[in-house]
Amino acid sequence: MDLIESYKEELKLIRKPWTKFWVGLLILFVLLLPWYSPEHVTHICIIIFIYSIGALGQNLLIGYTGQISFGQNGLLAIGAFTFGHLVGHSIPWPLAMISGGLAAGLFGLVVGFPSLRLKGPYLAIATMGFGVAVYQTFVNSETLSGGRMGLLIKKLTPVFSLSPTNFNYYFNLFMAAIFLLLTYNIVSSYMGRAFVAIRDNDIAAEVTGVNLVRYKLLAFFISSFYTGIQGGLYALFMGYVEPNMFTFMESITLFVAVIVGGLSSVEGAILGAAFIVIVPQLLSQYKGLVPVVYGLTIMLILIFEPMGLYGRWMKMRLYFRNWPFR
Amino acid sequence: MPLLEVERLVISFGGIVALGGVSLKSDTQEIVGIIGPNGSGKTTLFNCISGVYRPREGKVIFKGENLLGHRPHEVAQKGIARTFQNLRLFMHMTVLDNLMLGRHVQFKKNPFHAFLRIRKEELIHREVAEEIIEFLDLQAFRNSRVSDCPYGIQKRVELGRALAQEPELLLLDEPIAGLTSEEKEEMAYRITEIRGRYKTAILLVEHDLRIASRLADRMVALDHGLLIAEGLPKEVQSAPEVIRAYLGDEEA
Ligand SMILES: Nc1ncnc2c1ncn2[C@@H]1O[C@H](COP(=O)(O)OP(=O)(O)OP(=O)(O)O)[C@@H](O)[C@H]1O
Ligand SMILES: [Mg+2]
């Protein structure tokens, strides 16, 4: 095999035949799941798909670029309400959805602006201010929020005579899959390399020609776009939006998803999204405990397993691969 | 016209004048050695040229254009690359990815190619990176994380990353410090090779005077932010000002 061919091989999404096999099996499982699982499980999966988009975006920002944002609740709200108002004015939903993402992306640039000067906890606090301000604006403006009842949104009509739940399952699975592929593509491109370079050593990145301002803002734009889409999809699934869906807790939740899943791991972001959707379900009798569980998990993870769930999985795999010898 | 003309650079930190009006020239494909005792301002000079620091006064004229006030990434785009005295690598990336970052300035960057996994450009630059891997003998470490590589390899990776930029001017800040004597010889050999292969001019900061004078066409000496001698390596090393500067350093 000549050199160029082998480079091409290395650039493929999936390289090893065995990985192909397992991924194929996983896809089959996910596709068949709604036919075997009870309806409430399917419902939980839908929410996981929706949250995994925001978690993937946050992971690009936190895990890959080394920046941080606690303003995601504001961006979710902007994405959801932009979507809601636009479909309300009979704009087709795909267009409205993309507009919601772009609106969030543009505001994401505002959130990212302090990152040109601030780092770590200072940046976290500055972005937190944005989230709180957006939330308050929606709470206080009936024109923006659609009043006490929020905005009603027409749900999509199921196709292929699927039940509404099953239809929403496939629809949101499809959306999540698109963002999953997009994320894989970004992190393996020149762009992803520049992001990681900024995280690993910003001075060296600049000296090798990475425009810090451009790439930091780009990271904020992209991750905010993801978050805006999450907001839009959530609104569409619920059939309405109101400001209280987007309290500061949502920012924390996405942050927890990234940390629990594992920083800079694409698969981890999905595991993290599953975690933050399932924990509140398990604790539905004791809602007040959810933040406590989040806090404790973050502490435990940072102490014992900084690589998150994904890191744990990798270690397990290594263990089984070497099984009789270890 | 010289490739690089540094004119009367002045920069100070608090009360310390790190550079007190340093001027310096370098021609195409010339190796200029820069020596001087600790704290004499050698690294600061590099930081000023590469845009990391902003000098208070002076000019950095590269190919006829004043670079002063340019951001570091702009300086890189103009064709200046550098290494750091205390390595600045992308520690969690592979050796190959570090080199590919060196290609960032040459890369035709199209976001849609990134989003849609169109990788034509990647293949073109991958070949250049492979050439550098071969030149620096890094094959065995191609896919290792840089943080897992021994120090000598890391030094080579940083040199490779700078070379990948295909610069016209290369600033090397103590490229052989901390290496074993065998590695030192190899690195010295590679530095002379670079000029022939990549046609770059080199500014070389080096404490090892024996190797520095062997590599350099010309040499300048700094002390307390001032240029105290300039000329052929032999002349500079035996200049009384230089001897005094180094002796004074030892007494202190
Ligand atoms: N960022 C900075 N802040 C404060 N002082 C600085 C800074 N950078 C350099 N200096 C000071 O400028 C002077 C020159 O430092 P520089 O690092 O350029 O010396 P050098 O010649 O590279 O020394 P060495 O041989 O030890 O590497 C020193 O007194 C140093 O303390
Ligand atoms: Mg120095």
mmCIF file of all heavy atoms in Angstrom, chain A residues 59-67 186-187 189-202 205 210-212 214-223, chain B residues 90 93 101 104 115:
data_model
loop_
_atom_site.group_PDB
_atom_site.id
_atom_site.type_symbol
_atom_site.label_atom_id
_atom_site.label_comp_id
_atom_site.label_asym_id
_atom_site.label_seq_id
_atom_site.Cartn_x
_atom_site.Cartn_y
_atom_site.Cartn_z
ATOM 1 N N ASN A 59 -18.558 19.983 25.282
ATOM 2 C CA ASN A 59 -17.306 19.253 25.332
ATOM 3 C C ASN A 59 -16.290 19.834 24.344
ATOM 4 O O ASN A 59 -15.098 19.911 24.638
ATOM 5 C CB ASN A 59 -17.556 17.779 25.044
ATOM 6 C CG ASN A 59 -16.422 16.922 25.535
ATOM 7 O OD1 ASN A 59 -15.640 17.351 26.385
ATOM 8 N ND2 ASN A 59 -16.307 15.736 25.000
ATOM 9 N N LEU A 60 -16.774 20.281 23.196
ATOM 10 C CA LEU A 60 -15.873 20.963 22.265
ATOM 11 C C LEU A 60 -15.251 22.180 22.934
ATOM 12 O O LEU A 60 -14.071 22.471 22.783
ATOM 13 C CB LEU A 60 -16.632 21.413 21.016
ATOM 14 C CG LEU A 60 -16.855 20.392 19.920
ATOM 15 C CD1 LEU A 60 -17.713 20.987 18.814
ATOM 16 C CD2 LEU A 60 -15.515 19.944 19.346
ATOM 17 N N LEU A 61 -16.085 22.885 23.689
ATOM 18 C CA LEU A 61 -15.615 24.128 24.308
ATOM 19 C C LEU A 61 -14.728 23.860 25.525
ATOM 20 O O LEU A 61 -13.616 24.368 25.619
ATOM 21 C CB LEU A 61 -16.826 24.971 24.729
ATOM 22 C CG LEU A 61 -16.475 26.338 25.275
ATOM 23 C CD1 LEU A 61 -16.042 27.252 24.147
ATOM 24 C CD2 LEU A 61 -17.659 26.952 26.002
ATOM 25 N N ILE A 62 -15.237 23.018 26.442
ATOM 26 C CA ILE A 62 -14.512 22.796 27.699
ATOM 27 C C ILE A 62 -13.391 21.781 27.503
ATOM 28 O O ILE A 62 -12.236 22.033 27.834
ATOM 29 C CB ILE A 62 -15.466 22.299 28.812
ATOM 30 C CG1 ILE A 62 -16.610 23.293 29.010
ATOM 31 C CG2 ILE A 62 -14.704 22.092 30.109
ATOM 32 C CD1 ILE A 62 -17.647 22.849 30.016
ATOM 33 N N GLY A 63 -13.750 20.630 26.942
ATOM 34 C CA GLY A 63 -12.790 19.541 26.842
ATOM 35 C C GLY A 63 -11.719 19.794 25.794
ATOM 36 O O GLY A 63 -10.552 19.499 26.014
ATOM 37 N N TYR A 64 -12.123 20.298 24.647
ATOM 38 C CA TYR A 64 -11.157 20.445 23.563
ATOM 39 C C TYR A 64 -10.446 21.789 23.567
ATOM 40 O O TYR A 64 -9.247 21.858 23.388
ATOM 41 C CB TYR A 64 -11.832 20.194 22.200
ATOM 42 C CG TYR A 64 -12.079 18.726 21.955
ATOM 43 C CD1 TYR A 64 -13.248 18.120 22.399
ATOM 44 C CD2 TYR A 64 -11.124 17.939 21.335
ATOM 45 C CE1 TYR A 64 -13.467 16.760 22.216
ATOM 46 C CE2 TYR A 64 -11.331 16.577 21.142
ATOM 47 C CZ TYR A 64 -12.499 16.004 21.587
ATOM 48 O OH TYR A 64 -12.694 14.656 21.410
ATOM 49 N N THR A 65 -11.211 22.873 23.748
ATOM 50 C CA THR A 65 -10.577 24.186 23.626
ATOM 51 C C THR A 65 -10.098 24.712 24.972
ATOM 52 O O THR A 65 -9.350 25.687 25.024
ATOM 53 C CB THR A 65 -11.550 25.185 22.967
ATOM 54 O OG1 THR A 65 -12.259 24.509 21.938
ATOM 55 C CG2 THR A 65 -10.826 26.354 22.353
ATOM 56 N N GLY A 66 -10.557 24.084 26.073
ATOM 57 C CA GLY A 66 -10.088 24.506 27.387
ATOM 58 C C GLY A 66 -10.703 25.813 27.862
ATOM 59 O O GLY A 66 -10.163 26.475 28.735
ATOM 60 N N GLN A 67 -11.823 26.206 27.266
ATOM 61 C CA GLN A 67 -12.540 27.385 27.748
ATOM 62 C C GLN A 67 -13.705 26.898 28.594
ATOM 63 O O GLN A 67 -13.918 25.696 28.729
ATOM 64 C CB GLN A 67 -13.044 28.221 26.568
ATOM 65 C CG GLN A 67 -11.968 28.532 25.550
ATOM 66 C CD GLN A 67 -10.842 29.348 26.154
ATOM 67 O OE1 GLN A 67 -11.073 30.393 26.754
ATOM 68 N NE2 GLN A 67 -9.632 28.850 26.045
ATOM 69 N N ILE A 186 -15.129 17.584 13.218
ATOM 70 C CA ILE A 186 -14.445 18.799 13.689
ATOM 71 C C ILE A 186 -13.184 18.437 14.465
ATOM 72 O O ILE A 186 -12.108 18.973 14.210
ATOM 73 C CB ILE A 186 -15.385 19.647 14.568
ATOM 74 C CG1 ILE A 186 -16.482 20.279 13.701
ATOM 75 C CG2 ILE A 186 -14.605 20.742 15.295
ATOM 76 C CD1 ILE A 186 -17.517 21.043 14.473
ATOM 77 N N VAL A 187 -13.313 17.495 15.405
ATOM 78 C CA VAL A 187 -12.153 17.249 16.265
ATOM 79 C C VAL A 187 -10.996 16.613 15.487
ATOM 80 O O VAL A 187 -9.845 16.731 15.892
ATOM 81 C CB VAL A 187 -12.473 16.390 17.514
ATOM 82 C CG1 VAL A 187 -13.507 17.079 18.371
ATOM 83 C CG2 VAL A 187 -12.929 14.998 17.137
ATOM 84 N N SER A 189 -10.134 17.504 12.473
ATOM 85 C CA SER A 189 -9.731 18.401 11.386
ATOM 86 C C SER A 189 -8.700 19.402 11.881
ATOM 87 O O SER A 189 -8.347 19.421 13.060
ATOM 88 C CB SER A 189 -10.950 19.166 10.885
ATOM 89 O OG SER A 189 -11.336 20.117 11.857
ATOM 90 N N TYR A 190 -8.255 20.257 10.988
ATOM 91 C CA TYR A 190 -7.331 21.325 11.379
ATOM 92 C C TYR A 190 -7.939 22.174 12.489
ATOM 93 O O TYR A 190 -7.247 22.682 13.357
ATOM 94 C CB TYR A 190 -6.979 22.195 10.159
ATOM 95 C CG TYR A 190 -8.069 23.157 9.766
ATOM 96 C CD1 TYR A 190 -8.126 24.419 10.336
ATOM 97 C CD2 TYR A 190 -9.068 22.793 8.865
ATOM 98 C CE1 TYR A 190 -9.150 25.296 10.000
ATOM 99 C CE2 TYR A 190 -10.079 23.659 8.526
ATOM 100 C CZ TYR A 190 -10.120 24.907 9.103
ATOM 101 O OH TYR A 190 -11.135 25.769 8.795
ATOM 102 N N MET A 191 -9.262 22.301 12.458
ATOM 103 C CA MET A 191 -9.949 23.139 13.439
ATOM 104 C C MET A 191 -9.838 22.531 14.837
ATOM 105 O O MET A 191 -9.481 23.213 15.793
ATOM 106 C CB MET A 191 -11.409 23.259 13.018
ATOM 107 C CG MET A 191 -12.164 24.406 13.617
ATOM 108 S SD MET A 191 -13.883 24.352 13.075
ATOM 109 C CE MET A 191 -13.768 25.165 11.505
ATOM 110 N N GLY A 192 -10.118 21.246 14.912
ATOM 111 C CA GLY A 192 -10.012 20.566 16.192
ATOM 112 C C GLY A 192 -8.588 20.619 16.731
ATOM 113 O O GLY A 192 -8.364 20.803 17.927
ATOM 114 N N ARG A 193 -7.630 20.482 15.828
ATOM 115 C CA ARG A 193 -6.219 20.566 16.242
ATOM 116 C C ARG A 193 -5.916 21.930 16.825
ATOM 117 O O ARG A 193 -5.242 22.045 17.850
ATOM 118 C CB ARG A 193 -5.316 20.321 15.044
ATOM 119 C CG ARG A 193 -4.804 18.927 14.937
ATOM 120 C CD ARG A 193 -3.588 18.836 14.046
ATOM 121 N NE ARG A 193 -3.734 19.508 12.795
ATOM 122 C CZ ARG A 193 -4.055 18.924 11.640
ATOM 123 N NH1 ARG A 193 -4.257 17.634 11.597
ATOM 124 N NH2 ARG A 193 -4.156 19.624 10.542
ATOM 125 N N ALA A 194 -6.436 22.976 16.180
ATOM 126 C CA ALA A 194 -6.191 24.326 16.684
ATOM 127 C C ALA A 194 -6.844 24.505 18.059
ATOM 128 O O ALA A 194 -6.258 25.112 18.959
ATOM 129 C CB ALA A 194 -6.716 25.359 15.702
ATOM 130 N N PHE A 195 -8.042 23.933 18.236
ATOM 131 C CA PHE A 195 -8.716 24.030 19.534
ATOM 132 C C PHE A 195 -7.853 23.407 20.627
ATOM 133 O O PHE A 195 -7.616 24.002 21.676
ATOM 134 C CB PHE A 195 -10.070 23.311 19.492
ATOM 135 C CG PHE A 195 -11.130 24.034 18.698
ATOM 136 C CD1 PHE A 195 -12.241 23.363 18.217
ATOM 137 C CD2 PHE A 195 -11.029 25.396 18.430
ATOM 138 C CE1 PHE A 195 -13.224 24.016 17.480
ATOM 139 C CE2 PHE A 195 -12.000 26.067 17.698
ATOM 140 C CZ PHE A 195 -13.100 25.373 17.223
ATOM 141 N N VAL A 196 -7.401 22.179 20.374
ATOM 142 C CA VAL A 196 -6.614 21.481 21.395
ATOM 143 C C VAL A 196 -5.298 22.218 21.640
ATOM 144 O O VAL A 196 -4.811 22.292 22.764
ATOM 145 C CB VAL A 196 -6.363 20.014 20.985
ATOM 146 C CG1 VAL A 196 -5.494 19.311 22.017
ATOM 147 C CG2 VAL A 196 -7.679 19.284 20.825
ATOM 148 N N ALA A 197 -4.733 22.793 20.588
ATOM 149 C CA ALA A 197 -3.487 23.542 20.749
ATOM 150 C C ALA A 197 -3.699 24.713 21.720
ATOM 151 O O ALA A 197 -2.866 24.959 22.592
ATOM 152 C CB ALA A 197 -3.003 24.058 19.399
ATOM 153 N N ILE A 198 -4.820 25.392 21.579
ATOM 154 C CA ILE A 198 -5.111 26.518 22.476
ATOM 155 C C ILE A 198 -5.217 26.021 23.912
ATOM 156 O O ILE A 198 -4.709 26.640 24.842
ATOM 157 C CB ILE A 198 -6.415 27.220 22.043
ATOM 158 C CG1 ILE A 198 -6.197 27.916 20.710
ATOM 159 C CG2 ILE A 198 -6.879 28.197 23.112
ATOM 160 C CD1 ILE A 198 -7.441 28.548 20.133
ATOM 161 N N ARG A 199 -5.875 24.856 24.075
ATOM 162 C CA ARG A 199 -6.027 24.304 25.409
ATOM 163 C C ARG A 199 -4.667 23.897 25.999
ATOM 164 O O ARG A 199 -4.354 24.210 27.142
ATOM 165 C CB ARG A 199 -6.942 23.068 25.353
ATOM 166 C CG ARG A 199 -7.167 22.406 26.690
ATOM 167 C CD ARG A 199 -7.677 20.995 26.522
ATOM 168 N NE ARG A 199 -6.633 20.117 25.990
ATOM 169 C CZ ARG A 199 -6.864 18.905 25.537
ATOM 170 N NH1 ARG A 199 -8.090 18.419 25.500
ATOM 171 N NH2 ARG A 199 -5.867 18.168 25.089
ATOM 172 N N ASP A 200 -3.849 23.228 25.192
ATOM 173 C CA ASP A 200 -2.587 22.688 25.705
ATOM 174 C C ASP A 200 -1.549 23.775 25.960
ATOM 175 O O ASP A 200 -0.794 23.697 26.930
ATOM 176 C CB ASP A 200 -2.011 21.661 24.728
ATOM 177 C CG ASP A 200 -2.534 20.265 25.017
ATOM 178 O OD1 ASP A 200 -3.486 20.162 25.800
ATOM 179 O OD2 ASP A 200 -1.992 19.293 24.463
ATOM 180 N N ASN A 201 -1.461 24.757 25.080
ATOM 181 C CA ASN A 201 -0.446 25.794 25.267
ATOM 182 C C ASN A 201 -0.777 26.986 24.374
ATOM 183 O O ASN A 201 -0.429 27.001 23.192
ATOM 184 C CB ASN A 201 0.938 25.240 24.909
ATOM 185 C CG ASN A 201 2.032 26.094 25.483
ATOM 186 O OD1 ASN A 201 1.961 27.328 25.455
ATOM 187 N ND2 ASN A 201 3.045 25.462 26.030
ATOM 188 N N ASP A 202 -1.439 27.978 24.951
ATOM 189 C CA ASP A 202 -1.964 29.038 24.091
ATOM 190 C C ASP A 202 -0.852 29.865 23.445
ATOM 191 O O ASP A 202 -0.981 30.283 22.286
ATOM 192 C CB ASP A 202 -2.977 29.921 24.827
ATOM 193 C CG ASP A 202 -2.464 30.441 26.158
ATOM 194 O OD1 ASP A 202 -1.369 30.009 26.586
ATOM 195 O OD2 ASP A 202 -3.142 31.273 26.780
ATOM 196 N N ALA A 205 0.483 27.929 20.561
ATOM 197 C CA ALA A 205 -0.517 27.921 19.489
ATOM 198 C C ALA A 205 -0.406 29.204 18.672
ATOM 199 O O ALA A 205 -0.361 29.176 17.445
ATOM 200 C CB ALA A 205 -1.919 27.778 20.071
ATOM 201 N N VAL A 210 -1.759 30.058 15.047
ATOM 202 C CA VAL A 210 -3.190 29.963 15.338
ATOM 203 C C VAL A 210 -3.690 31.317 15.838
ATOM 204 O O VAL A 210 -3.173 31.846 16.824
ATOM 205 C CB VAL A 210 -3.465 28.873 16.399
ATOM 206 C CG1 VAL A 210 -4.934 28.856 16.773
ATOM 207 C CG2 VAL A 210 -3.029 27.515 15.890
ATOM 208 N N ASN A 211 -4.676 31.852 15.162
ATOM 209 C CA ASN A 211 -5.261 33.129 15.563
ATOM 210 C C ASN A 211 -6.153 32.889 16.792
ATOM 211 O O ASN A 211 -7.267 32.363 16.681
ATOM 212 C CB ASN A 211 -6.076 33.662 14.386
ATOM 213 C CG ASN A 211 -6.646 35.024 14.663
ATOM 214 O OD1 ASN A 211 -6.803 35.423 15.812
ATOM 215 N ND2 ASN A 211 -6.965 35.754 13.606
ATOM 216 N N LEU A 212 -5.642 33.256 17.954
ATOM 217 C CA LEU A 212 -6.340 32.946 19.210
ATOM 218 C C LEU A 212 -7.743 33.519 19.239
ATOM 219 O O LEU A 212 -8.693 32.844 19.618
ATOM 220 C CB LEU A 212 -5.571 33.495 20.405
ATOM 221 C CG LEU A 212 -4.404 32.703 20.966
ATOM 222 C CD1 LEU A 212 -4.058 33.219 22.356
ATOM 223 C CD2 LEU A 212 -4.730 31.232 21.040
ATOM 224 N N ARG A 214 -9.749 34.382 16.816
ATOM 225 C CA ARG A 214 -10.657 33.710 15.892
ATOM 226 C C ARG A 214 -11.074 32.337 16.398
ATOM 227 O O ARG A 214 -12.252 31.997 16.407
ATOM 228 C CB ARG A 214 -9.995 33.578 14.523
ATOM 229 C CG ARG A 214 -10.876 32.809 13.543
ATOM 230 C CD ARG A 214 -10.243 32.709 12.181
ATOM 231 N NE ARG A 214 -9.959 34.026 11.633
ATOM 232 C CZ ARG A 214 -9.162 34.215 10.572
ATOM 233 N NH1 ARG A 214 -8.592 33.190 9.992
ATOM 234 N NH2 ARG A 214 -8.942 35.426 10.120
ATOM 235 N N TYR A 215 -10.097 31.535 16.839
ATOM 236 C CA TYR A 215 -10.440 30.163 17.190
ATOM 237 C C TYR A 215 -11.169 30.051 18.521
ATOM 238 O O TYR A 215 -12.010 29.179 18.702
ATOM 239 C CB TYR A 215 -9.209 29.255 17.131
ATOM 240 C CG TYR A 215 -8.901 28.894 15.703
ATOM 241 C CD1 TYR A 215 -8.091 29.703 14.923
ATOM 242 C CD2 TYR A 215 -9.480 27.788 15.112
ATOM 243 C CE1 TYR A 215 -7.845 29.408 13.592
ATOM 244 C CE2 TYR A 215 -9.249 27.479 13.779
ATOM 245 C CZ TYR A 215 -8.426 28.291 13.032
ATOM 246 O OH TYR A 215 -8.202 28.001 11.706
ATOM 247 N N LYS A 216 -10.852 30.941 19.464
ATOM 248 C CA LYS A 216 -11.617 30.915 20.716
ATOM 249 C C LYS A 216 -13.067 31.280 20.434
ATOM 250 O O LYS A 216 -13.989 30.603 20.883
ATOM 251 C CB LYS A 216 -11.030 31.910 21.717
ATOM 252 C CG LYS A 216 -9.879 31.357 22.538
ATOM 253 C CD LYS A 216 -9.523 32.359 23.606
ATOM 254 C CE LYS A 216 -8.288 31.930 24.361
ATOM 255 N NZ LYS A 216 -7.859 32.991 25.303
ATOM 256 N N LEU A 217 -13.271 32.344 19.666
ATOM 257 C CA LEU A 217 -14.641 32.747 19.365
ATOM 258 C C LEU A 217 -15.359 31.691 18.526
ATOM 259 O O LEU A 217 -16.540 31.430 18.714
ATOM 260 C CB LEU A 217 -14.665 34.106 18.656
ATOM 261 C CG LEU A 217 -14.247 35.287 19.542
ATOM 262 C CD1 LEU A 217 -14.343 36.597 18.778
ATOM 263 C CD2 LEU A 217 -15.095 35.362 20.816
ATOM 264 N N LEU A 218 -14.607 31.059 17.625
ATOM 265 C CA LEU A 218 -15.190 29.986 16.819
ATOM 266 C C LEU A 218 -15.672 28.846 17.713
ATOM 267 O O LEU A 218 -16.767 28.298 17.520
ATOM 268 C CB LEU A 218 -14.155 29.480 15.821
ATOM 269 C CG LEU A 218 -14.638 28.472 14.775
ATOM 270 C CD1 LEU A 218 -15.690 29.108 13.886
ATOM 271 C CD2 LEU A 218 -13.463 27.997 13.919
ATOM 272 N N ALA A 219 -14.862 28.505 18.700
ATOM 273 C CA ALA A 219 -15.256 27.435 19.627
ATOM 274 C C ALA A 219 -16.533 27.823 20.362
ATOM 275 O O ALA A 219 -17.445 27.006 20.533
ATOM 276 C CB ALA A 219 -14.140 27.139 20.618
ATOM 277 N N PHE A 220 -16.613 29.073 20.792
ATOM 278 C CA PHE A 220 -17.828 29.521 21.467
ATOM 279 C C PHE A 220 -19.016 29.510 20.509
ATOM 280 O O PHE A 220 -20.125 29.110 20.872
ATOM 281 C CB PHE A 220 -17.638 30.932 22.049
ATOM 282 C CG PHE A 220 -17.052 30.914 23.424
ATOM 283 C CD1 PHE A 220 -15.687 31.073 23.618
ATOM 284 C CD2 PHE A 220 -17.851 30.720 24.537
ATOM 285 C CE1 PHE A 220 -15.134 31.043 24.879
ATOM 286 C CE2 PHE A 220 -17.309 30.684 25.806
ATOM 287 C CZ PHE A 220 -15.941 30.853 25.977
ATOM 288 N N PHE A 221 -18.776 29.933 19.272
ATOM 289 C CA PHE A 221 -19.875 29.963 18.300
ATOM 290 C C PHE A 221 -20.413 28.553 18.068
ATOM 291 O O PHE A 221 -21.609 28.305 18.152
ATOM 292 C CB PHE A 221 -19.410 30.572 16.977
ATOM 293 C CG PHE A 221 -20.487 30.599 15.927
ATOM 294 C CD1 PHE A 221 -21.399 31.634 15.879
ATOM 295 C CD2 PHE A 221 -20.594 29.565 15.002
ATOM 296 C CE1 PHE A 221 -22.419 31.649 14.928
ATOM 297 C CE2 PHE A 221 -21.605 29.568 14.051
ATOM 298 C CZ PHE A 221 -22.510 30.612 14.011
ATOM 299 N N ILE A 222 -19.496 27.630 17.802
ATOM 300 C CA ILE A 222 -19.931 26.270 17.478
ATOM 301 C C ILE A 222 -20.651 25.635 18.658
ATOM 302 O O ILE A 222 -21.740 25.087 18.523
ATOM 303 C CB ILE A 222 -18.729 25.404 17.040
ATOM 304 C CG1 ILE A 222 -18.186 25.921 15.706
ATOM 305 C CG2 ILE A 222 -19.136 23.945 16.912
ATOM 306 C CD1 ILE A 222 -16.963 25.185 15.212
ATOM 307 N N SER A 223 -20.059 25.751 19.845
ATOM 308 C CA SER A 223 -20.688 25.087 20.987
ATOM 309 C C SER A 223 -22.038 25.743 21.288
ATOM 310 O O SER A 223 -22.989 25.073 21.676
ATOM 311 C CB SER A 223 -19.766 25.094 22.199
ATOM 312 O OG SER A 223 -19.998 26.201 23.004
ATOM 313 N N PHE B 90 2.452 20.831 22.546
ATOM 314 C CA PHE B 90 1.070 20.451 22.809
ATOM 315 C C PHE B 90 1.131 19.049 23.391
ATOM 316 O O PHE B 90 1.135 18.052 22.679
ATOM 317 C CB PHE B 90 0.251 20.532 21.536
ATOM 318 C CG PHE B 90 0.400 21.875 20.868
ATOM 319 C CD1 PHE B 90 0.920 21.983 19.590
ATOM 320 C CD2 PHE B 90 0.051 23.031 21.545
ATOM 321 C CE1 PHE B 90 1.078 23.222 18.995
ATOM 322 C CE2 PHE B 90 0.207 24.277 20.956
ATOM 323 C CZ PHE B 90 0.725 24.376 19.682
ATOM 324 N N MET B 93 -1.129 15.977 22.625
ATOM 325 C CA MET B 93 -1.287 15.559 21.241
ATOM 326 C C MET B 93 -0.159 14.608 20.866
ATOM 327 O O MET B 93 0.878 14.566 21.513
ATOM 328 C CB MET B 93 -1.178 16.768 20.316
ATOM 329 C CG MET B 93 -2.314 17.717 20.398
ATOM 330 S SD MET B 93 -2.126 18.831 18.998
ATOM 331 C CE MET B 93 -3.253 20.076 19.462
ATOM 332 N N LEU B 101 0.338 20.876 13.390
ATOM 333 C CA LEU B 101 0.055 22.251 13.795
ATOM 334 C C LEU B 101 1.049 23.220 13.205
ATOM 335 O O LEU B 101 0.726 24.359 12.896
ATOM 336 C CB LEU B 101 0.025 22.385 15.309
ATOM 337 C CG LEU B 101 -1.420 22.417 15.749
ATOM 338 C CD1 LEU B 101 -1.575 21.965 17.144
ATOM 339 C CD2 LEU B 101 -2.050 23.771 15.521
ATOM 340 N N HIS B 104 -0.181 24.589 10.183
ATOM 341 C CA HIS B 104 -1.390 25.413 10.259
ATOM 342 C C HIS B 104 -1.296 26.667 9.393
ATOM 343 O O HIS B 104 -2.247 27.044 8.727
ATOM 344 C CB HIS B 104 -1.658 25.798 11.720
ATOM 345 C CG HIS B 104 -2.982 26.458 11.943
ATOM 346 N ND1 HIS B 104 -4.153 25.751 12.097
ATOM 347 C CD2 HIS B 104 -3.327 27.763 12.022
ATOM 348 C CE1 HIS B 104 -5.151 26.591 12.254
ATOM 349 N NE2 HIS B 104 -4.685 27.819 12.226
ATOM 350 N N PHE B 115 -16.111 20.402 8.649
ATOM 351 C CA PHE B 115 -17.413 19.867 9.056
ATOM 352 C C PHE B 115 -17.786 18.620 8.265
ATOM 353 O O PHE B 115 -18.375 17.690 8.800
ATOM 354 C CB PHE B 115 -18.515 20.912 8.839
ATOM 355 C CG PHE B 115 -18.311 22.168 9.635
ATOM 356 C CD1 PHE B 115 -18.827 23.386 9.192
ATOM 357 C CD2 PHE B 115 -17.609 22.155 10.841
ATOM 358 C CE1 PHE B 115 -18.646 24.552 9.917
ATOM 359 C CE2 PHE B 115 -17.416 23.320 11.563
ATOM 360 C CZ PHE B 115 -17.929 24.521 11.110
#
